[in-house]
Amino acid sequence: MSQRKPYPSDLSDARWALIEPTLTAWRKARLDRRPTGKPALVELRDVFDALLYVNRTGIPWKYLPHDFPNHGTVYAYYAAWRDEGIFAQLNYDLAGLARVKEGRKPEPTASVIDTQSVKTSTNVPLTSQGTDAGKKIVGRKRGILTDTIGLILAVTVTAASLSENAVGIQLLDQAKKTYPTISKSWVDTGFKNAVVEHGAKLGIDVEVVNRNPEIRGFHVVKRRWVVERSIGWIMMHRRLARDYETLPASSEAMIHLASIDNLAKRITDETTPTWRGTY
């Protein structure tokens, strides 16, 4: 790490040790393909810290503080890691480590699905937005699939107009490909027969969990509260308070980045600060 004053979002040495091998292997593969093999000068840890700063504070790229690498350089790394699946790979690796730390097997067998519709910023193309009529939100819809302790296993971002079933089918396909061991999933009543039937084709028993009609107002719903809490966790990262990303793939990468941040802290027993404590 370069000589600068640290920000609260910076990686600790312990968390960097979890992330560094993947990024170093990626850089080595890139350098091996270069004609000269000349190493780049930018520090990967500084780049990742810059990404966490953007993710946590919600600033535009061009407002990145000057003691980080140039915002164009940081974005170039971000785009490469997004497109080459590095964020998804880190999320996969750290989720496995976090599960083992909790005394579980690295590969989950059960999952929980939920969606969240969020408003978009003015730079988001109209072609990738839509209207969630039920929630009266114009924007995008995030689909999240977690394990039974709330660790994010699959992510998809679509126009808000897409049905819960369509989002659920995408998540089941993604999760089953990444985690063939998954055989059970719980969903809320927004998901209908189509997602249940698709799950059966994949060998996943999809169960719809109903609210207790005799209880008025908020109450904890079996299984569903886990994924709802996970959505709350990622919303502590201000970049996710609204969808600012031009590409849905960038929205997914920002969710993975927030998840990586939380997973690394979970593995190293570091607390995850809330915004109430960081003003």
Side-chain angles (χ1 to χ4, degrees):
M1 184 172 65
S2 60
Q3 296 302 311
R4 60 171 174 80
K5 291 184 178 180
Y7 293 100
S9 55
D10 282 357
L11 292 166
S12 66
D13 290 343
R15 282 183 283 139
W16 172 239
L18 295 171
I19 294 168
E20 182 272 334
T22 299
L23 300 187
T24 299
W26 172 86
R27 168 175 274 179
K28 183 179 184 303
R30 275 294 188 92
L31 292 177
D32 287 345
R33 295 197 294 267
R34 287 186 179 184
T36 62
K38 184 179 179 180
L41 298 177
V42 66
E43 293 283 347
L44 292 179
R45 183 170 179 174
D46 284 339
V47 172
F48 208 88
D49 280 339
L51 294 179
L52 292 178
Y53 186 93
V54 170
N55 190 259
R56 187 73 181 178
T57 64
I59 61 165
W61 292 102
K62 290 183 179 180
Y63 285 76
L64 195 66
H66 297 302
D67 49 1
F68 283 120
N70 177 272
H71 74 270
T73 300
V74 173
Y75 182 82
Y77 275 91
Y78 165 78
W81 292 341
R82 174 198 67 201
D83 296 344
E84 296 180 37
I86 298 301
F87 295 124
Q89 182 63 49
L90 281 170
N91 192 89
Y92 173 87
D93 293 340
L94 295 182
L97 291 175
R99 285 181 56 81
V100 170
K101 183 177 174 62
E102 296 286 335
R104 299 165 182 261
K105 293 182 179 179
E107 299 290 325
T109 58
S111 62
V112 194
I113 296 175
D114 200 6
T115 65
Q116 177 193 37
S117 293
V118 292
K119 295 179 180 179
T120 44
S121 64
T122 55
N123 65 294
V124 174
L126 292 175
T127 53
S128 67
Q129 303 183 52
T131 302
D132 183 330
K135 297 178 181 176
K136 297 181 175 61
I137 290 177
V138 177
R140 284 180 175 155
K141 183 174 289 185
R142 298 166 179 161
I144 308 289
L145 182 145
T146 74
D147 67 2
T148 54
I149 57 175
L151 308 184
I152 293 177
L153 307 179
V155 173
T156 189
V157 176
T158 69
S161 52
L162 204 67
S163 70
E164 306 289 272
N165 273 332
V167 174
I169 287 170
Q170 289 184 22
L171 288 169
L172 288 174
D173 284 341
Q174 185 185 144
K176 192 65 175 180
K177 181 179 179 181
T178 310
Y179 300 96
T181 50
I182 290 180
S183 59
K184 179 73 177 182
S185 191
W186 290 274
V187 298
D188 66 26
T189 51
F191 298 86
K192 307 300 181 184
N193 291 339
V195 76
V196 175
E197 292 168 359
H198 188 75
K201 293 177 182 177
L202 298 175
I204 301 175
D205 175 27
V206 178
E207 178 183 342
V208 178
V209 181
N210 297 298
R211 292 173 57 88
N212 187 338
E214 298 180 1
I215 301 178
R216 299 182 62 182
F218 172 80
H219 65 280
V220 175
V221 181
K222 183 187 74 171
R223 298 296 182 182
R224 278 168 46 186
W225 70 270
V226 172
V227 69
E228 291 167 355
R229 181 185 61 178
S230 299
I231 290 174
W233 283 342
I234 66 171
M235 289 297 285
M236 299 306 298
H237 299 252
R238 284 188 170 182
R239 186 77 179 199
L240 299 175
R242 182 183 288 262
D243 195 324
Y244 295 100
E245 315 309 324
T246 302
L247 301 175
S250 287
S251 301
E252 294 168 5
M254 283 295 175
I255 295 171
H256 276 135
L257 197 54
S259 177
I260 290 165
D261 189 28
N262 291 340
L263 284 167
K265 288 173 181 173
R266 188 176 188 130
I267 294 166
T268 57
D269 292 321
E270 298 175 42
T271 58
T272 304
T274 67
W275 281 107
R276 290 188 180 89
T278 54
Y279 281 120

